[in-house]
Amino acid sequence: KEALQAYEKALDIFPEYRYNYYNIANAQYQLKDYKSAIKNYNLFLETYSQHTESRENLAASYFAIKDYKNAVEQYKMLFDKNPDNFKYYAQYGLSLLNTDEYEKSVEMLEKAVERNADNNSAHLGLAQAYQELGKNEMSYEQYQFVLNKVPNLNTVRLDYANLLANMEKNTEAITQYNMYIQAYPNDVNGYKNIANVYKTLGNYDKALENYLIAEQKIPEDIDVKKDIAYCYHNKKDYDNAVKYYDEILKVQADDFNVKFNKALA
């Protein structure tokens, strides 16, 4: 803080000294005032565009505030300038993942885990990138690697359970969804997704149990109402099926499939 105050006074006295923007940005970076640091790193790089350390810190600042598009731009410049000594494969790969550049993300994250097999963030990023690319077995291996090391890492269980459901590992998926719901009881996605698995298995009672919880949390979700109507219909509980078909038709009056299913009920 004292350094920052001194550098800012120096800037008032001698504003032409462009290197002072770097000093100010470094102090702001240490104080985790990333938005201010970004501003001053960019001012410095207008004059000293080849300065590597400032660009590294600029990239890290963008990454810290989850501005992944600009982080990708900065990490790409660093990589292209000196690929043999590039050190930020994990951050670059995760930034690419968050800008939907999955193929390039895999390339960088694979290098990240080669260099540091204990980097759980890189393994999880790789799992998600593989998942997005439909490489389910490879994604499964990465999730397994991390969750075996960190069994209480519940933040990733929804994505992992979704992967298991896509792989038709339904029993495992249900276990993971239940663990996620226990950890995050207010996240409607856990209830919707586990209900989808139960519906696929024809267990309409368990599917309804979870869809109805989801409906309580998001009563405006028409897709959930359609799933509830479907389950009631297949249970031959036609009164409740018709009740939900009517609720849907209030919002989507021209939905032919709903009208048809209501007529059948």
Side-chain angles (χ1 to χ4, degrees), residues 196-256:
N196 289 340
V197 174
Y198 280 125
K199 185 179 80 169
T200 300
L201 294 171
N203 188 338
Y204 299 117
D205 288 327
K206 291 296 290 184
L208 278 168
E209 178 185 319
N210 287 282
Y211 281 135
L212 290 168
I213 295 171
E215 187 198 19
Q216 288 175 2
K217 294 181 180 298
I218 43 169
E220 71 282 359
D221 191 319
I222 294 300
D223 289 331
V224 169
K225 291 184 188 297
K226 287 181 179 179
D227 286 321
I228 292 171
Y230 176 93
C231 292
Y232 277 130
H233 199 135
N234 280 274
K235 275 171 57 69
K236 299 183 180 180
D237 183 346
Y238 299 120
D239 288 337
N240 274 314
V242 168
K243 171 190 166 186
Y244 275 92
Y245 289 136
D246 282 338
E247 287 189 25
I248 296 161
L249 289 168
K250 287 177 185 176
V251 180
Q252 296 181 351
D254 296 327
D255 191 316
F256 175 80

Side-chain angles (χ1 to χ4, degrees), residues 46-236:
E46 286 175 7
T47 303
Y48 299 97
S49 61
Q50 298 303 310
H51 194 276
T52 299
E53 187 177 333
S54 59
R55 197 168 297 283
E56 289 173 342
N57 288 353
L58 176 60
S61 297
Y62 280 129
F63 187 79
I65 64 169
K66 300 183 180 180
D67 183 347
Y68 297 115
K69 182 179 178 181
N70 278 310
V72 164
E73 183 181 332
Q74 297 302 319
Y75 284 125
K76 183 179 187 305
M77 291 171 72
L78 289 164
F79 181 77
D80 290 347
K81 181 181 177 183
N82 191 359
D84 293 334
N85 293 308
F86 187 70
K87 299 179 287 186
Y88 306 102
Y89 287 107
Q91 295 90 329
Y92 189 16
L94 291 169
S95 298
L96 289 162
L97 173 66
N98 282 284
T99 52
D100 301 336
E101 297 183 55
Y102 303 120
E103 292 279 4
K104 189 71 175 176
S105 173
V106 164
E107 180 186 335
M108 293 299 156
L109 290 170
E110 284 178 343
K111 290 177 180 177
V113 298
E114 279 176 19
R115 286 160 174 73
N116 180 6
D118 294 324
N119 189 330
N120 292 334
S121 294
H123 281 288
L124 288 172
L126 198 50
Q128 290 176 307
Y130 284 143
Q131 192 170 357
E132 292 289 346
L133 293 169
K135 298 179 178 181
N136 291 341
E137 290 293 343
M138 297 171 78
S139 177
Y140 179 74
E141 289 175 9
Q142 296 297 321
Y143 280 121
Q144 285 277 297
F145 177 84
V146 176
L147 287 169
N148 285 336
K149 287 171 60 183
V150 193
N152 295 323
L153 189 62
N154 292 315
T155 54
V156 303
R157 288 199 188 279
L158 186 66
D159 287 335
Y160 181 43
N162 292 343
L163 173 70
L164 293 168
N166 288 336
M167 296 175 74
E168 299 183 355
K169 296 178 182 286
N170 293 316
T171 302
E172 289 180 60
I174 287 168
T175 299
Q176 295 298 320
Y177 282 130
N178 278 322
M179 293 174 75
Y180 182 79
I181 288 166
Q182 188 174 357
Y184 302 100
N186 294 319
D187 186 351
V188 71
N189 292 304
Y191 301 101
K192 287 169 64 175
N193 292 6
I194 195 172
N196 289 340
V197 174
Y198 280 125
K199 185 179 80 169
T200 300
L201 294 171
N203 188 338
Y204 299 117
D205 288 327
K206 291 296 290 184
L208 278 168
E209 178 185 319
N210 287 282
Y211 281 135
L212 290 168
I213 295 171
E215 187 198 19
Q216 288 175 2
K217 294 181 180 298
I218 43 169
E220 71 282 359
D221 191 319
I222 294 300
D223 289 331
V224 169
K225 291 184 188 297
K226 287 181 179 179
D227 286 321
I228 292 171
Y230 176 93
C231 292
Y232 277 130
H233 199 135
N234 280 274
K235 275 171 57 69
K236 299 183 180 180

